[in-house]
Amino acid sequence: MKTIDYYFWMNSDWAYLGADRLEALAARQQARIRYLPVDLPEVYGRTGGILLGLRSPERQAYRVAELARWCRKLDIHVNAQPAYMCPDAGLASRIVIAADRAGLPVAALYKAILKAEWCDEQDISDEATLRAILLRQGLDAPTLLAAAAEPGIETIYRRNTDDAVAAGVFGSPAYVYRGEVFWGQDRLEMLEEAVAA
């Protein structure tokens, strides 16, 4: 089966904008998505990226303008500067990994976490916030939170990050298909062309 390796940061506004379109692409092309949350600050540290708060004012301003354009184009609301912007995404990432390992549907879960940050002014580093999201998704919050604390899940999170760098990934979202990297939700059309070929 065609497989897309999807490397994303649980703080990525751009991943949120591309989430539904990625799902639709996979359905059209009968492709499987491997959901691979990564530690993006670690990826940046190893690939020359610069965290948003350290970028020049010009780059930060352009991000806000570009985000507004894409929100209009896609008719999706995102607050470019939410109250809790880019907190520690480790627990959220490990919860998504634990859910995936348990065979649970991951797409709705990771989108709900991203929505909480970028639309609902919530702190996704807070365990109580994540517990509430899990419950709203109809998932077993105590079990998933316990699983997320297991060393094996942290190992997978670190491996995802290592694998992303090894694959040539340097930002989020990134989609890898047959060794080719497509960076950014604005490359989904090109990704689909590759998957369809």
Side-chain angles (χ1 to χ4, degrees), residues 159-195:
R159 187 170 64 233
N160 287 353
T161 302
D162 290 341
D163 290 349
V165 173
V169 169
F170 53 88
S172 171
Y175 321 95
V176 180
Y177 182 69
R178 294 183 177 172
E180 186 175 0
V181 178
F182 297 83
W183 173 51
Q185 57 86 36
D186 53 341
R187 296 298 183 269
L188 282 167
E189 183 177 340
M190 294 178 181
L191 171 64
E192 183 158 18
E193 290 169 356
V195 175

mmCIF file of all heavy atoms in Angstrom, residues 159-195:
data_model
loop_
_atom_site.group_PDB
_atom_site.id
_atom_site.type_symbol
_atom_site.label_atom_id
_atom_site.label_comp_id
_atom_site.label_asym_id
_atom_site.label_seq_id
_atom_site.Cartn_x
_atom_site.Cartn_y
_atom_site.Cartn_z
ATOM 1 N N ARG A 159 12.871 8.608 18.327
ATOM 2 C CA ARG A 159 13.170 7.950 17.055
ATOM 3 C C ARG A 159 12.495 8.674 15.896
ATOM 4 O O ARG A 159 13.086 8.826 14.818
ATOM 5 C CB ARG A 159 12.749 6.484 17.101
ATOM 6 C CG ARG A 159 13.196 5.700 15.846
ATOM 7 C CD ARG A 159 12.997 4.210 16.004
ATOM 8 N NE ARG A 159 11.593 3.864 16.152
ATOM 9 C CZ ARG A 159 11.097 3.135 17.144
ATOM 10 N NH1 ARG A 159 11.879 2.663 18.097
ATOM 11 N NH2 ARG A 159 9.810 2.858 17.180
ATOM 12 N N ASN A 160 11.248 9.105 16.098
ATOM 13 C CA ASN A 160 10.580 9.889 15.051
ATOM 14 C C ASN A 160 11.410 11.110 14.678
ATOM 15 O O ASN A 160 11.550 11.444 13.495
ATOM 16 C CB ASN A 160 9.206 10.380 15.537
ATOM 17 C CG ASN A 160 8.159 9.304 15.627
ATOM 18 O OD1 ASN A 160 8.385 8.168 15.215
ATOM 19 N ND2 ASN A 160 7.022 9.654 16.187
ATOM 20 N N THR A 161 11.934 11.774 15.687
ATOM 21 C CA THR A 161 12.736 12.983 15.467
ATOM 22 C C THR A 161 14.019 12.648 14.716
ATOM 23 O O THR A 161 14.379 13.331 13.750
ATOM 24 C CB THR A 161 13.037 13.663 16.814
ATOM 25 O OG1 THR A 161 11.782 13.979 17.458
ATOM 26 C CG2 THR A 161 13.839 14.934 16.629
ATOM 27 N N ASP A 162 14.682 11.574 15.123
ATOM 28 C CA ASP A 162 15.893 11.136 14.425
ATOM 29 C C ASP A 162 15.584 10.750 12.984
ATOM 30 O O ASP A 162 16.323 11.110 12.049
ATOM 31 C CB ASP A 162 16.523 9.936 15.143
ATOM 32 C CG ASP A 162 17.134 10.287 16.483
ATOM 33 O OD1 ASP A 162 17.409 11.481 16.737
ATOM 34 O OD2 ASP A 162 17.343 9.360 17.296
ATOM 35 N N ASP A 163 14.489 10.016 12.808
ATOM 36 C CA ASP A 163 14.118 9.569 11.460
ATOM 37 C C ASP A 163 13.769 10.749 10.562
ATOM 38 O O ASP A 163 14.072 10.733 9.357
ATOM 39 C CB ASP A 163 12.930 8.605 11.525
ATOM 40 C CG ASP A 163 13.281 7.251 12.126
ATOM 41 O OD1 ASP A 163 14.488 6.956 12.305
ATOM 42 O OD2 ASP A 163 12.340 6.486 12.425
ATOM 43 N N ALA A 164 13.132 11.756 11.141
ATOM 44 C CA ALA A 164 12.791 12.945 10.359
ATOM 45 C C ALA A 164 14.056 13.605 9.817
ATOM 46 O O ALA A 164 14.149 13.916 8.621
ATOM 47 C CB ALA A 164 12.002 13.936 11.218
ATOM 48 N N VAL A 165 15.031 13.809 10.690
ATOM 49 C CA VAL A 165 16.288 14.431 10.259
ATOM 50 C C VAL A 165 16.976 13.556 9.223
ATOM 51 O O VAL A 165 17.467 14.055 8.193
ATOM 52 C CB VAL A 165 17.198 14.689 11.470
ATOM 53 C CG1 VAL A 165 18.574 15.180 11.023
ATOM 54 C CG2 VAL A 165 16.555 15.713 12.413
ATOM 55 N N ALA A 166 16.987 12.249 9.444
ATOM 56 C CA ALA A 166 17.629 11.333 8.502
ATOM 57 C C ALA A 166 16.951 11.364 7.137
ATOM 58 O O ALA A 166 17.595 11.182 6.102
ATOM 59 C CB ALA A 166 17.623 9.915 9.067
ATOM 60 N N ALA A 167 15.632 11.633 7.138
ATOM 61 C CA ALA A 167 14.881 11.680 5.878
ATOM 62 C C ALA A 167 15.036 13.012 5.149
ATOM 63 O O ALA A 167 14.575 13.150 4.013
ATOM 64 C CB ALA A 167 13.401 11.422 6.151
ATOM 65 N N GLY A 168 15.662 14.006 5.809
ATOM 66 C CA GLY A 168 15.833 15.313 5.190
ATOM 67 C C GLY A 168 14.795 16.326 5.616
ATOM 68 O O GLY A 168 14.707 17.423 5.038
ATOM 69 N N VAL A 169 14.011 16.006 6.633
ATOM 70 C CA VAL A 169 12.978 16.915 7.128
ATOM 71 C C VAL A 169 13.626 18.011 7.963
ATOM 72 O O VAL A 169 14.533 17.755 8.743
ATOM 73 C CB VAL A 169 11.948 16.126 7.960
ATOM 74 C CG1 VAL A 169 11.015 17.072 8.723
ATOM 75 C CG2 VAL A 169 11.152 15.181 7.062
ATOM 76 N N PHE A 170 13.133 19.242 7.809
ATOM 77 C CA PHE A 170 13.674 20.366 8.573
ATOM 78 C C PHE A 170 12.585 21.295 9.094
ATOM 79 O O PHE A 170 12.875 22.317 9.718
ATOM 80 C CB PHE A 170 14.669 21.172 7.722
ATOM 81 C CG PHE A 170 14.101 21.606 6.400
ATOM 82 C CD1 PHE A 170 13.405 22.791 6.289
ATOM 83 C CD2 PHE A 170 14.257 20.810 5.265
ATOM 84 C CE1 PHE A 170 12.863 23.192 5.079
ATOM 85 C CE2 PHE A 170 13.722 21.208 4.042
ATOM 86 C CZ PHE A 170 13.025 22.392 3.951
ATOM 87 N N GLY A 171 11.326 20.980 8.857
ATOM 88 C CA GLY A 171 10.228 21.818 9.314
ATOM 89 C C GLY A 171 8.943 21.020 9.394
ATOM 90 O O GLY A 171 8.900 19.838 9.044
ATOM 91 N N SER A 172 7.872 21.683 9.840
ATOM 92 C CA SER A 172 6.574 21.027 10.007
ATOM 93 C C SER A 172 5.474 21.864 9.363
ATOM 94 O O SER A 172 5.472 23.088 9.520
ATOM 95 C CB SER A 172 6.273 20.857 11.495
ATOM 96 O OG SER A 172 4.952 20.427 11.714
ATOM 97 N N PRO A 173 4.584 21.173 8.653
ATOM 98 C CA PRO A 173 4.516 19.743 8.422
ATOM 99 C C PRO A 173 5.420 19.331 7.267
ATOM 100 O O PRO A 173 5.694 20.127 6.361
ATOM 101 C CB PRO A 173 3.042 19.520 8.062
ATOM 102 C CG PRO A 173 2.645 20.810 7.380
ATOM 103 C CD PRO A 173 3.405 21.894 8.099
ATOM 104 N N ALA A 174 5.853 18.084 7.310
ATOM 105 C CA ALA A 174 6.637 17.523 6.219
ATOM 106 C C ALA A 174 6.080 16.151 5.888
ATOM 107 O O ALA A 174 5.755 15.372 6.787
ATOM 108 C CB ALA A 174 8.114 17.438 6.592
ATOM 109 N N TYR A 175 5.967 15.891 4.613
ATOM 110 C CA TYR A 175 5.422 14.630 4.125
ATOM 111 C C TYR A 175 6.511 13.965 3.301
ATOM 112 O O TYR A 175 7.092 14.594 2.414
ATOM 113 C CB TYR A 175 4.184 14.875 3.262
ATOM 114 C CG TYR A 175 3.284 15.977 3.791
ATOM 115 C CD1 TYR A 175 3.400 17.281 3.310
ATOM 116 C CD2 TYR A 175 2.349 15.725 4.788
ATOM 117 C CE1 TYR A 175 2.592 18.300 3.794
ATOM 118 C CE2 TYR A 175 1.534 16.741 5.283
ATOM 119 C CZ TYR A 175 1.653 18.031 4.775
ATOM 120 O OH TYR A 175 0.868 19.039 5.262
ATOM 121 N N VAL A 176 6.786 12.706 3.595
ATOM 122 C CA VAL A 176 7.816 11.980 2.865
ATOM 123 C C VAL A 176 7.159 10.810 2.153
ATOM 124 O O VAL A 176 6.499 9.971 2.786
ATOM 125 C CB VAL A 176 8.940 11.486 3.801
ATOM 126 C CG1 VAL A 176 10.004 10.726 2.998
ATOM 127 C CG2 VAL A 176 9.576 12.664 4.545
ATOM 128 N N TYR A 177 7.338 10.785 0.849
ATOM 129 C CA TYR A 177 6.778 9.700 0.045
ATOM 130 C C TYR A 177 7.869 9.130 -0.844
ATOM 131 O O TYR A 177 8.465 9.847 -1.639
ATOM 132 C CB TYR A 177 5.608 10.207 -0.809
ATOM 133 C CG TYR A 177 4.971 9.107 -1.619
ATOM 134 C CD1 TYR A 177 4.241 8.102 -0.997
ATOM 135 C CD2 TYR A 177 5.122 9.054 -2.998
ATOM 136 C CE1 TYR A 177 3.672 7.072 -1.731
ATOM 137 C CE2 TYR A 177 4.550 8.037 -3.750
ATOM 138 C CZ TYR A 177 3.826 7.043 -3.113
ATOM 139 O OH TYR A 177 3.276 6.022 -3.839
ATOM 140 N N ARG A 178 8.145 7.862 -0.635
ATOM 141 C CA ARG A 178 9.187 7.161 -1.391
ATOM 142 C C ARG A 178 10.502 7.932 -1.390
ATOM 143 O O ARG A 178 11.158 8.091 -2.420
ATOM 144 C CB ARG A 178 8.712 6.862 -2.805
ATOM 145 C CG ARG A 178 7.561 5.869 -2.826
ATOM 146 C CD ARG A 178 7.110 5.483 -4.221
ATOM 147 N NE ARG A 178 6.052 4.486 -4.166
ATOM 148 C CZ ARG A 178 5.347 4.062 -5.212
ATOM 149 N NH1 ARG A 178 5.589 4.574 -6.412
ATOM 150 N NH2 ARG A 178 4.418 3.150 -5.075
ATOM 151 N N GLY A 179 10.857 8.439 -0.227
ATOM 152 C CA GLY A 179 12.133 9.120 -0.048
ATOM 153 C C GLY A 179 12.152 10.578 -0.440
ATOM 154 O O GLY A 179 13.160 11.257 -0.237
ATOM 155 N N GLU A 180 11.046 11.093 -0.975
ATOM 156 C CA GLU A 180 10.997 12.497 -1.404
ATOM 157 C C GLU A 180 10.270 13.321 -0.345
ATOM 158 O O GLU A 180 9.175 12.960 0.090
ATOM 159 C CB GLU A 180 10.277 12.613 -2.747
ATOM 160 C CG GLU A 180 10.303 14.016 -3.334
ATOM 161 C CD GLU A 180 9.698 14.086 -4.726
ATOM 162 O OE1 GLU A 180 9.246 13.048 -5.256
ATOM 163 O OE2 GLU A 180 9.673 15.210 -5.282
ATOM 164 N N VAL A 181 10.884 14.441 0.048
ATOM 165 C CA VAL A 181 10.314 15.304 1.079
ATOM 166 C C VAL A 181 9.481 16.405 0.432
ATOM 167 O O VAL A 181 9.918 17.068 -0.523
ATOM 168 C CB VAL A 181 11.425 15.954 1.939
ATOM 169 C CG1 VAL A 181 10.814 16.891 2.984
ATOM 170 C CG2 VAL A 181 12.289 14.893 2.604
ATOM 171 N N PHE A 182 8.290 16.594 0.984
ATOM 172 C CA PHE A 182 7.417 17.704 0.595
ATOM 173 C C PHE A 182 7.186 18.504 1.864
ATOM 174 O O PHE A 182 6.531 18.027 2.794
ATOM 175 C CB PHE A 182 6.091 17.185 0.031
ATOM 176 C CG PHE A 182 6.245 16.374 -1.224
ATOM 177 C CD1 PHE A 182 6.563 15.024 -1.155
ATOM 178 C CD2 PHE A 182 6.087 16.964 -2.470
ATOM 179 C CE1 PHE A 182 6.711 14.270 -2.303
ATOM 180 C CE2 PHE A 182 6.243 16.211 -3.637
ATOM 181 C CZ PHE A 182 6.562 14.859 -3.546
ATOM 182 N N TRP A 183 7.736 19.718 1.927
ATOM 183 C CA TRP A 183 7.663 20.522 3.143
ATOM 184 C C TRP A 183 6.567 21.558 3.022
ATOM 185 O O TRP A 183 6.555 22.356 2.074
ATOM 186 C CB TRP A 183 9.003 21.221 3.410
ATOM 187 C CG TRP A 183 8.950 22.190 4.547
ATOM 188 C CD1 TRP A 183 8.473 21.966 5.805
ATOM 189 C CD2 TRP A 183 9.373 23.555 4.517
ATOM 190 N NE1 TRP A 183 8.582 23.107 6.578
ATOM 191 C CE2 TRP A 183 9.136 24.093 5.811
ATOM 192 C CE3 TRP A 183 9.949 24.377 3.547
ATOM 193 C CZ2 TRP A 183 9.438 25.411 6.149
ATOM 194 C CZ3 TRP A 183 10.248 25.686 3.877
ATOM 195 C CH2 TRP A 183 10.000 26.179 5.172
ATOM 196 N N GLY A 184 5.660 21.548 3.961
ATOM 197 C CA GLY A 184 4.630 22.581 4.043
ATOM 198 C C GLY A 184 3.301 22.148 3.469
ATOM 199 O O GLY A 184 3.238 21.427 2.469
ATOM 200 N N GLN A 185 2.226 22.623 4.098
ATOM 201 C CA GLN A 185 0.887 22.283 3.626
ATOM 202 C C GLN A 185 0.615 22.847 2.236
ATOM 203 O O GLN A 185 -0.280 22.380 1.539
ATOM 204 C CB GLN A 185 -0.158 22.778 4.625
ATOM 205 C CG GLN A 185 -0.118 24.276 4.931
ATOM 206 C CD GLN A 185 -0.900 25.109 3.956
ATOM 207 O OE1 GLN A 185 -1.945 24.683 3.482
ATOM 208 N NE2 GLN A 185 -0.408 26.307 3.640
ATOM 209 N N ASP A 186 1.417 23.794 1.805
ATOM 210 C CA ASP A 186 1.262 24.336 0.456
ATOM 211 C C ASP A 186 1.892 23.436 -0.602
ATOM 212 O O ASP A 186 1.855 23.768 -1.793
ATOM 213 C CB ASP A 186 1.846 25.753 0.366
ATOM 214 C CG ASP A 186 3.282 25.843 0.847
ATOM 215 O OD1 ASP A 186 3.746 24.945 1.573
ATOM 216 O OD2 ASP A 186 3.955 26.833 0.498
ATOM 217 N N ARG A 187 2.446 22.290 -0.187
ATOM 218 C CA ARG A 187 3.008 21.321 -1.139
ATOM 219 C C ARG A 187 2.143 20.073 -1.256
ATOM 220 O O ARG A 187 2.544 19.087 -1.876
ATOM 221 C CB ARG A 187 4.429 20.920 -0.727
ATOM 222 C CG ARG A 187 5.441 22.065 -0.744
ATOM 223 C CD ARG A 187 5.622 22.640 -2.139
ATOM 224 N NE ARG A 187 6.629 23.694 -2.175
ATOM 225 C CZ ARG A 187 6.389 24.980 -2.010
ATOM 226 N NH1 ARG A 187 5.160 25.396 -1.784
ATOM 227 N NH2 ARG A 187 7.359 25.868 -2.062
ATOM 228 N N LEU A 188 0.944 20.113 -0.674
ATOM 229 C CA LEU A 188 0.093 18.921 -0.709
ATOM 230 C C LEU A 188 -0.316 18.537 -2.129
ATOM 231 O O LEU A 188 -0.440 17.360 -2.449
ATOM 232 C CB LEU A 188 -1.150 19.139 0.162
ATOM 233 C CG LEU A 188 -0.905 18.980 1.663
ATOM 234 C CD1 LEU A 188 -2.077 19.519 2.463
ATOM 235 C CD2 LEU A 188 -0.630 17.521 2.025
ATOM 236 N N GLU A 189 -0.520 19.533 -2.998
ATOM 237 C CA GLU A 189 -0.885 19.217 -4.378
ATOM 238 C C GLU A 189 0.244 18.456 -5.061
ATOM 239 O O GLU A 189 0.012 17.478 -5.786
ATOM 240 C CB GLU A 189 -1.197 20.502 -5.142
ATOM 241 C CG GLU A 189 -1.661 20.278 -6.567
ATOM 242 C CD GLU A 189 -2.032 21.571 -7.260
ATOM 243 O OE1 GLU A 189 -2.288 22.580 -6.576
ATOM 244 O OE2 GLU A 189 -2.058 21.562 -8.511
ATOM 245 N N MET A 190 1.484 18.881 -4.812
ATOM 246 C CA MET A 190 2.642 18.195 -5.395
ATOM 247 C C MET A 190 2.795 16.795 -4.804
ATOM 248 O O MET A 190 3.162 15.847 -5.497
ATOM 249 C CB MET A 190 3.901 19.017 -5.188
ATOM 250 C CG MET A 190 3.913 20.322 -5.940
ATOM 251 S SD MET A 190 5.400 21.277 -5.607
ATOM 252 C CE MET A 190 5.084 22.732 -6.611
ATOM 253 N N LEU A 191 2.522 16.682 -3.505
ATOM 254 C CA LEU A 191 2.556 15.361 -2.892
ATOM 255 C C LEU A 191 1.550 14.437 -3.560
ATOM 256 O O LEU A 191 1.872 13.280 -3.880
ATOM 257 C CB LEU A 191 2.244 15.474 -1.393
ATOM 258 C CG LEU A 191 2.027 14.153 -0.643
ATOM 259 C CD1 LEU A 191 3.286 13.305 -0.633
ATOM 260 C CD2 LEU A 191 1.536 14.423 0.779
ATOM 261 N N GLU A 192 0.361 14.932 -3.785
ATOM 262 C CA GLU A 192 -0.660 14.075 -4.421
ATOM 263 C C GLU A 192 -0.247 13.661 -5.822
ATOM 264 O O GLU A 192 -0.482 12.511 -6.223
ATOM 265 C CB GLU A 192 -2.017 14.764 -4.447
ATOM 266 C CG GLU A 192 -3.091 13.857 -5.025
ATOM 267 C CD GLU A 192 -4.494 14.235 -4.615
ATOM 268 O OE1 GLU A 192 -4.715 15.380 -4.165
ATOM 269 O OE2 GLU A 192 -5.387 13.369 -4.736
ATOM 270 N N GLU A 193 0.369 14.560 -6.539
ATOM 271 C CA GLU A 193 0.846 14.179 -7.880
ATOM 272 C C GLU A 193 1.841 13.030 -7.800
ATOM 273 O O GLU A 193 1.817 12.103 -8.623
ATOM 274 C CB GLU A 193 1.481 15.395 -8.566
ATOM 275 C CG GLU A 193 0.480 16.461 -8.964
ATOM 276 C CD GLU A 193 1.150 17.757 -9.405
ATOM 277 O OE1 GLU A 193 2.407 17.859 -9.336
ATOM 278 O OE2 GLU A 193 0.415 18.690 -9.811
ATOM 279 N N ALA A 194 2.723 13.084 -6.802
ATOM 280 C CA ALA A 194 3.718 12.006 -6.632
ATOM 281 C C ALA A 194 3.036 10.698 -6.235
ATOM 282 O O ALA A 194 3.394 9.634 -6.752
ATOM 283 C CB ALA A 194 4.736 12.414 -5.580
ATOM 284 N N VAL A 195 2.078 10.775 -5.336
ATOM 285 C CA VAL A 195 1.400 9.561 -4.877
ATOM 286 C C VAL A 195 0.569 8.945 -6.003
ATOM 287 O O VAL A 195 0.478 7.721 -6.124
ATOM 288 C CB VAL A 195 0.504 9.868 -3.648
ATOM 289 C CG1 VAL A 195 -0.307 8.649 -3.241
ATOM 290 C CG2 VAL A 195 1.364 10.337 -2.469
#
